[in-house]
Amino acid sequence: MFRCHGYAAASPKAPLAPFSFERREPGPNDIQIEILYCGVCHSDLHRARNEWGGTIYPCVPGHEMVGRITAVGSAVTKFKVGDTAGVGVMVDSCQRCENCKDGLQQFCEVGQTETYNSPDKHTGGHTYGGYSSHIVVDETFVLRIPEGMDLAAVAPLLCAGITTYSPLRHWKVGPGQKVGVVGLGGLGHLGVKIAAALGANVVLFTTSLGKSDDAKRLGVKEVVLSTDADAMARHANSFDFILDTVSANHDINGLLQLLRRDGTLTQVGVPVEPQAIHAGTLVGKRRNYAGSTIGGVAETQEMLEFCARHGIVSDIELIAIHQVNDAFERMLRSDVKYRFVIDMATLPAA
Ligand SMILES: NC(=O)c1ccc[n+]([C@@H]2O[C@H](COP(=O)([O-])OP(=O)(O)OC[C@H]3O[C@@H](n4cnc5c(N)ncnc54)[C@H](OP(=O)(O)O)[C@@H]3O)[C@@H](O)[C@H]2O)c1
Ligand SMILES: [Zn+2]
Ligand SMILES: [Zn+2]
């Protein structure tokens, strides 16, 4: 075991604060990474504050990290010391069930090991995430960062990027389609960039009209204020696909009515409360209401290559780690352009 330092929440109401803990020495298949940058995902906030229930404390959040490899196990073949590497939302899975065999480790039947807040089969404790100095991960779950990408701005691709890329690909978004993205935050702004790169005509639904100019720069064709009933009605029955990234309760029925026959609204945002759906809205036009979570390891690598080819990284605001509690508050106010990324060089030594 070796000593790491990071930032943890000690309880649902406690701000994140410096915290030291142990990680395992790298085993034969493991890679040890010094973390350089870690994105701040809204899931980190939901989890640190126990908004979904089930948070294990102390909670070290963070599942969008990029770093430098400082050690590799004897059986590691894909990476060497000094390489840059990425780690996302998962660090392990059973690797034997049907879903794992299909490369869909995010749906592991046994339960994937999430980067934080999962049982840690090596230590007997629970996993700690990327708001920390180092991480040790089986090489199967380590991503290669394509040459030349900005390392801080690539970090959010490891969760926000794959979470939007995977459903856009699964529901075959492509040229000529009318595609809605709901919410221009971390996920939403990458959803816009990726959908536009896939050739779709992207419409943004937002509660923040002040983001309109940015939205156009990111690739949006039209911005709709989702609280303006008339503006919404003008788009009735016209969308092939809508990706909903909203983190809080909101009116989903109003969005479902904008789908054309057989259209799909896919939820990737995970509001805390259950949402009421009118069945009539679905049956009337054979509409689909669906969900999606991150993506498998191979698809995450594919997403990174896709983003490298299309010049896509996250728009970020780089922060020092002591600013993370303020970043959480700003995220709650939808005041983020468009992902906070922690510069881990600012982590105080233990
Ligand atoms: N499924 C997965 O695998 C997965 C992965 C990552 C994250 N998530 C979840 O996805 C959600 C978004 O994460 P994020 O990191 O992108 O969060 P974020 O950066 O905070 O963005 C969320 C956006 O939602 C909009 N919004 C916020 N409150 C709203 C409200 N009351 N009504 C309507 N719109 C509202 C805002 O956009 P506007 O200002 O444009 O309205 C806001 O910027 C979270 O619930 C997170 O846990 C899921
Ligand atoms: Zn996330
Ligand atoms: Zn499995």
Coordinates of all heavy atoms in Angstrom, one line a residue, residues 179-252:
V179 N -31.9 17.0 -34.1 CA -31.6 16.5 -32.8 C -31.6 17.6 -31.8 O -31.0 18.6 -32.0 CB -30.2 15.8 -32.9 CG1 -29.6 15.4 -31.5 CG2 -30.2 14.6 -33.8
G180 N -32.2 17.3 -30.7 CA -32.3 18.2 -29.6 C -31.3 17.8 -28.5 O -31.1 16.6 -28.2
V181 N -30.7 18.8 -27.8 CA -29.9 18.6 -26.6 C -30.5 19.5 -25.6 O -30.7 20.7 -25.8 CB -28.4 18.9 -26.9 CG1 -27.6 18.8 -25.5 CG2 -27.8 18.0 -27.9
V182 N -30.8 18.9 -24.4 CA -31.5 19.6 -23.3 C -30.4 19.9 -22.2 O -29.9 19.0 -21.6 CB -32.7 18.8 -22.8 CG1 -33.5 19.8 -21.9 CG2 -33.5 18.2 -23.9
G183 N -30.2 21.2 -22.0 CA -29.2 21.6 -21.0 C -27.8 21.8 -21.5 O -27.3 20.9 -22.1
L184 N -27.3 23.0 -21.3 CA -25.9 23.3 -21.8 C -25.0 23.4 -20.6 O -24.6 24.4 -20.2 CB -25.9 24.6 -22.7 CG -24.6 24.7 -23.5 CD1 -24.6 23.6 -24.6 CD2 -24.5 26.1 -24.1
G185 N -24.7 22.2 -20.1 CA -23.7 22.1 -19.0 C -22.5 21.2 -19.6 O -22.3 21.2 -20.7
G186 N -21.9 20.5 -18.6 CA -20.8 19.6 -19.0 C -21.2 18.6 -20.1 O -20.5 18.5 -21.1
L187 N -22.2 17.8 -19.8 CA -22.7 16.8 -20.8 C -23.2 17.5 -22.0 O -22.9 17.1 -23.2 CB -23.7 15.9 -20.2 CG -23.3 14.6 -19.5 CD1 -22.3 14.8 -18.4 CD2 -24.4 13.8 -19.0
G188 N -24.1 18.5 -21.8 CA -24.8 19.1 -22.9 C -23.9 19.7 -23.9 O -24.1 19.5 -25.1
H189 N -22.9 20.4 -23.5 CA -22.0 21.1 -24.5 C -21.2 20.1 -25.3 O -20.9 20.3 -26.5 CB -21.2 22.2 -23.8 CG -19.8 21.8 -23.4 ND1 -19.5 20.9 -22.4 CD2 -18.6 22.1 -23.9 CE1 -18.2 20.7 -22.2 NE2 -17.6 21.5 -23.1
L190 N -20.9 19.0 -24.7 CA -20.2 17.9 -25.5 C -21.1 17.2 -26.4 O -20.8 16.8 -27.5 CB -19.4 17.0 -24.6 CG -18.1 17.6 -24.0 CD1 -17.6 16.7 -22.9 CD2 -17.1 17.8 -25.1
G191 N -22.4 17.0 -25.9 CA -23.4 16.4 -26.7 C -23.6 17.3 -28.0 O -23.8 16.7 -29.1
V192 N -23.7 18.6 -27.8 CA -23.8 19.5 -29.0 C -22.7 19.3 -29.9 O -22.9 19.2 -31.2 CB -23.9 21.0 -28.5 CG1 -23.6 21.9 -29.6 CG2 -25.2 21.2 -27.8
K193 N -21.4 19.3 -29.4 CA -20.3 19.2 -30.3 C -20.3 17.9 -31.1 O -20.0 17.9 -32.3 CB -19.0 19.4 -29.5 CG -18.7 20.7 -28.9 CD -17.3 20.8 -28.3 CE -17.1 22.1 -27.6 NZ -15.6 22.4 -27.3
I194 N -20.6 16.8 -30.4 CA -20.5 15.5 -31.0 C -21.6 15.3 -32.0 O -21.4 14.8 -33.1 CB -20.5 14.4 -29.9 CG1 -19.2 14.5 -29.1 CG2 -20.6 13.0 -30.5 CD1 -19.2 13.7 -27.8
A195 N -22.9 15.7 -31.6 CA -24.0 15.6 -32.5 C -23.8 16.4 -33.8 O -24.1 16.0 -34.9 CB -25.3 16.0 -31.8
A196 N -23.2 17.6 -33.6 CA -22.9 18.5 -34.8 C -21.8 17.8 -35.7 O -21.9 17.8 -36.9 CB -22.4 19.9 -34.4
A197 N -20.8 17.2 -35.0 CA -19.8 16.5 -35.8 C -20.3 15.3 -36.5 O -19.8 14.9 -37.6 CB -18.6 16.1 -34.9
L198 N -21.4 14.7 -36.0 CA -22.0 13.6 -36.7 C -23.0 14.0 -37.8 O -23.5 13.2 -38.5 CB -22.9 12.7 -35.7 CG -22.1 11.9 -34.7 CD1 -23.0 11.4 -33.5 CD2 -21.3 10.8 -35.3
G199 N -23.1 15.3 -38.0 CA -23.8 15.9 -39.1 C -25.3 16.3 -38.8 O -26.0 16.7 -39.7
A200 N -25.7 16.2 -37.6 CA -27.1 16.5 -37.2 C -27.3 18.0 -37.2 O -26.4 18.8 -37.0 CB -27.4 15.9 -35.8
N201 N -28.6 18.4 -37.4 CA -29.0 19.8 -37.1 C -29.4 19.9 -35.7 O -30.4 19.3 -35.2 CB -30.2 20.1 -38.0 CG -29.9 20.0 -39.5 OD1 -28.8 20.4 -39.9 ND2 -30.8 19.5 -40.3
V202 N -28.6 20.5 -34.9 CA -28.7 20.5 -33.4 C -29.5 21.7 -32.9 O -29.2 22.9 -33.2 CB -27.4 20.4 -32.7 CG1 -27.5 20.2 -31.2 CG2 -26.5 19.3 -33.3
V203 N -30.5 21.4 -32.1 CA -31.3 22.5 -31.4 C -31.0 22.3 -29.9 O -31.1 21.2 -29.4 CB -32.8 22.3 -31.7 CG1 -33.6 23.3 -30.9 CG2 -33.1 22.4 -33.2
L204 N -30.7 23.5 -29.3 CA -30.5 23.4 -27.8 C -31.7 23.9 -27.1 O -32.3 24.9 -27.4 CB -29.3 24.4 -27.5 CG -29.1 24.5 -25.9 CD1 -28.6 23.3 -25.3 CD2 -28.2 25.8 -25.6
F205 N -32.1 23.1 -26.1 CA -33.2 23.5 -25.1 C -32.5 23.9 -23.9 O -31.8 23.1 -23.3 CB -34.1 22.4 -24.9 CG -34.9 22.0 -26.1 CD1 -34.5 20.9 -26.8 CD2 -36.0 22.7 -26.5 CE1 -35.1 20.5 -28.0 CE2 -36.7 22.3 -27.7 CZ -36.2 21.2 -28.4
T206 N -32.7 25.2 -23.5 CA -31.9 25.7 -22.3 C -32.9 26.5 -21.4 O -33.9 27.0 -21.9 CB -30.8 26.6 -22.8 OG1 -30.0 27.0 -21.7 CG2 -31.2 27.8 -23.6
T207 N -32.4 26.7 -20.2 CA -33.1 27.6 -19.3 C -32.3 28.9 -19.2 O -32.7 29.8 -18.4 CB -33.3 27.0 -17.9 OG1 -32.0 26.7 -17.4 CG2 -34.2 25.8 -17.9
S208 N -31.1 28.9 -19.8 CA -30.2 30.1 -19.7 C -30.0 30.7 -21.1 O -29.1 30.3 -21.8 CB -28.9 29.6 -19.2 OG -29.0 28.8 -18.1
L209 N -30.9 31.7 -21.5 CA -30.7 32.3 -22.8 C -29.4 33.0 -23.0 O -28.9 33.1 -24.1 CB -31.8 33.3 -23.0 CG -33.1 32.8 -23.7 CD1 -34.0 34.0 -24.1 CD2 -32.8 31.9 -24.9
G210 N -28.7 33.3 -21.9 CA -27.4 33.9 -21.9 C -26.4 33.0 -22.5 O -25.3 33.5 -22.9
K211 N -26.7 31.7 -22.7 CA -25.7 30.8 -23.3 C -25.8 30.7 -24.8 O -25.1 29.9 -25.4 CB -25.9 29.4 -22.6 CG -25.5 29.4 -21.1 CD -25.7 27.9 -20.6 CE -25.4 27.9 -19.1 NZ -25.8 26.6 -18.5
S212 N -26.8 31.5 -25.4 CA -27.1 31.4 -26.8 C -25.9 31.5 -27.7 O -25.7 30.8 -28.7 CB -28.2 32.4 -27.2 OG -29.4 32.1 -26.5
D213 N -25.1 32.6 -27.5 CA -24.0 32.8 -28.4 C -23.0 31.7 -28.3 O -22.5 31.2 -29.3 CB -23.3 34.1 -28.0 CG -24.1 35.4 -28.4 OD1 -25.1 35.2 -29.2 OD2 -23.8 36.5 -27.9
D214 N -22.7 31.2 -27.1 CA -21.8 30.1 -26.9 C -22.4 28.9 -27.7 O -21.6 28.1 -28.3 CB -21.7 29.7 -25.4 CG -20.7 30.7 -24.7 OD1 -20.0 31.4 -25.4 OD2 -20.8 30.7 -23.5
A215 N -23.7 28.6 -27.5 CA -24.3 27.5 -28.1 C -24.1 27.5 -29.6 O -23.7 26.5 -30.2 CB -25.8 27.4 -27.8
K216 N -24.2 28.6 -30.3 CA -24.0 28.7 -31.7 C -22.6 28.4 -32.1 O -22.3 27.7 -33.0 CB -24.4 30.1 -32.2 CG -25.9 30.5 -31.9 CD -26.7 30.4 -33.2 CE -28.2 30.5 -32.9 NZ -28.8 31.8 -32.5
R217 N -21.7 29.0 -31.3 CA -20.2 28.7 -31.5 C -19.9 27.2 -31.4 O -19.1 26.7 -32.1 CB -19.4 29.5 -30.5 CG -17.9 29.2 -30.5 CD -17.2 30.1 -29.5 NE -17.6 30.0 -28.1 CZ -17.3 29.0 -27.3 NH1 -16.6 28.0 -27.7 NH2 -17.7 28.9 -26.0
L218 N -20.7 26.5 -30.5 CA -20.4 25.1 -30.3 C -21.0 24.2 -31.4 O -20.7 23.0 -31.4 CB -20.9 24.7 -28.9 CG -20.3 25.4 -27.7 CD1 -21.1 25.0 -26.4 CD2 -18.9 24.9 -27.5
G219 N -21.9 24.8 -32.2 CA -22.5 24.0 -33.3 C -24.0 23.9 -33.3 O -24.6 23.2 -34.1
V220 N -24.7 24.7 -32.4 CA -26.1 24.6 -32.4 C -26.7 25.5 -33.5 O -26.2 26.6 -33.7 CB -26.6 25.2 -31.0 CG1 -28.1 25.5 -31.0 CG2 -26.3 24.1 -29.9
K221 N -27.8 25.0 -34.2 CA -28.4 25.8 -35.2 C -29.5 26.7 -34.6 O -29.7 27.8 -35.1 CB -29.1 24.9 -36.2 CG -28.1 24.0 -37.1 CD -27.8 24.8 -38.3 CE -27.1 24.0 -39.4 NZ -26.1 23.0 -39.0
E222 N -30.2 26.3 -33.6 CA -31.3 27.1 -33.0 C -31.3 26.9 -31.5 O -31.2 25.7 -31.0 CB -32.6 26.7 -33.7 CG -33.7 27.6 -33.3 CD -35.1 27.2 -34.0 OE1 -35.0 26.5 -35.0 OE2 -36.1 27.7 -33.5
V223 N -31.6 28.0 -30.8 CA -31.7 27.9 -29.3 C -33.1 28.1 -28.9 O -33.7 29.1 -29.4 CB -30.8 28.9 -28.7 CG1 -30.9 28.9 -27.1 CG2 -29.3 28.7 -29.0
V224 N -33.7 27.2 -28.1 CA -35.0 27.4 -27.6 C -35.0 27.5 -26.1 O -34.4 26.6 -25.4 CB -35.9 26.1 -28.1 CG1 -37.3 26.2 -27.5 CG2 -35.9 26.0 -29.6
L225 N -35.7 28.5 -25.6 CA -35.9 28.6 -24.2 C -37.0 27.6 -23.7 O -38.2 27.8 -24.1 CB -36.3 30.1 -23.8 CG -36.5 30.4 -22.4 CD1 -35.1 30.3 -21.7 CD2 -37.1 31.8 -22.2
S226 N -36.6 26.6 -23.0 CA -37.5 25.5 -22.7 C -38.7 25.9 -21.8 O -39.7 25.2 -21.8 CB -36.8 24.3 -22.1 OG -36.0 24.8 -21.0
T227 N -38.7 27.1 -21.2 CA -39.8 27.6 -20.4 C -40.8 28.4 -21.2 O -41.8 28.8 -20.7 CB -39.3 28.4 -19.2 OG1 -38.4 29.4 -19.7 CG2 -38.6 27.5 -18.2
D228 N -40.5 28.6 -22.5 CA -41.3 29.4 -23.4 C -42.3 28.5 -24.2 O -41.8 27.8 -25.1 CB -40.4 30.2 -24.3 CG -41.2 31.1 -25.3 OD1 -42.4 30.8 -25.5 OD2 -40.6 32.0 -25.9
A229 N -43.5 28.4 -23.7 CA -44.4 27.4 -24.3 C -44.6 27.6 -25.8 O -44.7 26.6 -26.6 CB -45.8 27.4 -23.6
D230 N -44.7 28.8 -26.2 CA -44.9 29.1 -27.7 C -43.7 28.6 -28.5 O -43.9 28.0 -29.5 CB -45.2 30.6 -27.9 CG -46.5 31.0 -27.3 OD1 -47.4 30.2 -27.1 OD2 -46.7 32.2 -27.1
A231 N -42.5 28.9 -28.0 CA -41.3 28.5 -28.7 C -41.2 27.0 -28.8 O -40.9 26.4 -29.8 CB -40.1 29.1 -28.0
M232 N -41.6 26.3 -27.7 CA -41.6 24.9 -27.7 C -42.7 24.3 -28.7 O -42.4 23.4 -29.5 CB -42.0 24.4 -26.3 CG -40.9 24.7 -25.2 SD -39.4 23.7 -25.4 CE -39.8 22.2 -24.6
A233 N -43.9 24.9 -28.7 CA -44.9 24.4 -29.6 C -44.6 24.5 -31.0 O -45.0 23.7 -31.8 CB -46.2 25.2 -29.3
R234 N -43.7 25.5 -31.4 CA -43.3 25.6 -32.8 C -42.5 24.4 -33.3 O -42.4 24.2 -34.5 CB -42.5 26.9 -33.0 CG -43.4 28.1 -33.1 CD -42.7 29.3 -33.7 NE -41.7 29.9 -32.8 CZ -42.0 30.7 -31.8 NH1 -43.2 31.1 -31.6 NH2 -41.0 31.2 -31.1
H235 N -42.0 23.6 -32.3 CA -41.2 22.5 -32.7 C -41.9 21.1 -32.5 O -41.3 20.1 -32.6 CB -39.9 22.4 -31.9 CG -38.9 23.5 -32.3 ND1 -38.0 23.4 -33.3 CD2 -38.7 24.8 -31.8 CE1 -37.3 24.5 -33.5 NE2 -37.7 25.3 -32.6
A236 N -43.2 21.2 -32.3 CA -44.0 19.9 -32.0 C -43.8 18.9 -33.2 O -43.7 19.3 -34.3 CB -45.4 20.2 -31.9
N237 N -43.7 17.6 -32.8 CA -43.6 16.5 -33.7 C -42.5 16.6 -34.8 O -42.7 16.2 -35.9 CB -44.9 16.4 -34.5 CG -46.1 16.4 -33.6 OD1 -46.1 15.7 -32.5 ND2 -47.2 17.0 -34.0
S238 N -41.4 17.2 -34.4 CA -40.3 17.4 -35.5 C -39.0 16.8 -35.2 O -38.1 16.7 -36.1 CB -40.2 18.9 -35.7 OG -39.6 19.5 -34.5
F239 N -38.7 16.3 -34.0 CA -37.4 15.8 -33.7 C -37.2 14.3 -33.9 O -38.1 13.5 -33.5 CB -37.0 16.1 -32.2 CG -36.6 17.5 -32.0 CD1 -37.5 18.5 -31.8 CD2 -35.2 17.9 -32.1 CE1 -37.1 19.9 -31.7 CE2 -34.8 19.2 -31.9 CZ -35.8 20.2 -31.7
D240 N -36.1 13.9 -34.5 CA -35.7 12.5 -34.6 C -35.2 12.0 -33.3 O -35.5 10.8 -32.9 CB -34.6 12.3 -35.6 CG -35.1 12.8 -37.0 OD1 -35.9 12.0 -37.6 OD2 -34.6 13.8 -37.5
F241 N -34.5 12.8 -32.5 CA -33.9 12.3 -31.3 C -33.6 13.5 -30.4 O -33.3 14.6 -30.8 CB -32.5 11.7 -31.7 CG -31.8 11.1 -30.5 CD1 -32.2 9.9 -30.0 CD2 -30.7 11.7 -30.0 CE1 -31.5 9.3 -28.9 CE2 -30.0 11.1 -28.9 CZ -30.4 9.9 -28.3
I242 N -33.8 13.3 -29.1 CA -33.5 14.3 -28.1 C -32.7 13.7 -27.0 O -33.0 12.6 -26.5 CB -34.8 14.9 -27.5 CG1 -35.6 15.6 -28.6 CG2 -34.5 15.9 -26.4 CD1 -37.0 16.2 -28.1
L243 N -31.6 14.3 -26.6 CA -30.7 13.9 -25.6 C -30.9 14.8 -24.4 O -30.6 16.0 -24.5 CB -29.3 13.9 -26.0 CG -28.2 13.4 -25.1 CD1 -28.4 11.8 -24.9 CD2 -26.8 13.7 -25.6
D244 N -31.4 14.3 -23.3 CA -31.7 15.1 -22.1 C -30.6 15.0 -21.0 O -30.5 13.9 -20.5 CB -33.1 14.6 -21.6 CG -33.6 15.5 -20.4 OD1 -32.8 16.2 -19.8 OD2 -34.8 15.6 -20.2
T245 N -29.9 16.0 -20.8 CA -28.8 16.0 -19.9 C -29.0 16.7 -18.6 O -28.1 17.0 -17.8 CB -27.5 16.7 -20.5 OG1 -27.6 18.1 -20.5 CG2 -27.3 16.2 -21.9
V246 N -30.3 17.1 -18.3 CA -30.6 17.9 -17.2 C -30.4 17.2 -15.8 O -30.9 16.1 -15.7 CB -32.0 18.5 -17.3 CG1 -32.5 19.3 -16.1 CG2 -32.1 19.4 -18.6
S247 N -29.9 17.9 -14.9 CA -29.5 17.3 -13.6 C -30.6 17.5 -12.5 O -30.5 16.9 -11.5 CB -28.3 18.0 -13.1 OG -28.4 19.4 -13.1
A248 N -31.6 18.3 -12.9 CA -32.7 18.6 -11.9 C -34.1 18.2 -12.4 O -34.2 18.0 -13.6 CB -32.6 20.1 -11.5
N249 N -35.1 18.2 -11.6 CA -36.4 17.9 -12.1 C -36.9 18.9 -13.1 O -36.6 20.1 -13.0 CB -37.4 18.0 -10.9 CG -37.1 16.9 -9.9 OD1 -36.3 16.0 -10.2 ND2 -37.7 17.0 -8.7
H250 N -37.5 18.5 -14.1 CA -38.0 19.4 -15.2 C -39.1 18.6 -16.0 O -39.3 17.4 -15.8 CB -36.8 19.8 -16.1 CG -36.2 18.6 -16.8 ND1 -35.5 17.7 -16.1 CD2 -36.2 18.2 -18.1 CE1 -35.0 16.8 -17.0 NE2 -35.4 17.1 -18.2
D251 N -39.8 19.4 -16.9 CA -40.9 18.8 -17.6 C -40.5 18.0 -18.8 O -40.1 18.5 -19.8 CB -41.8 20.0 -18.0 CG -43.0 19.4 -18.9 OD1 -43.4 18.3 -18.7 OD2 -43.5 20.2 -19.7
I252 N -40.6 16.7 -18.7 CA -40.1 15.8 -19.7 C -41.3 15.6 -20.8 O -41.0 15.5 -22.0 CB -39.7 14.4 -19.2 CG1 -38.4 14.6 -18.4 CG2 -39.4 13.4 -20.3 CD1 -38.0 13.5 -17.6

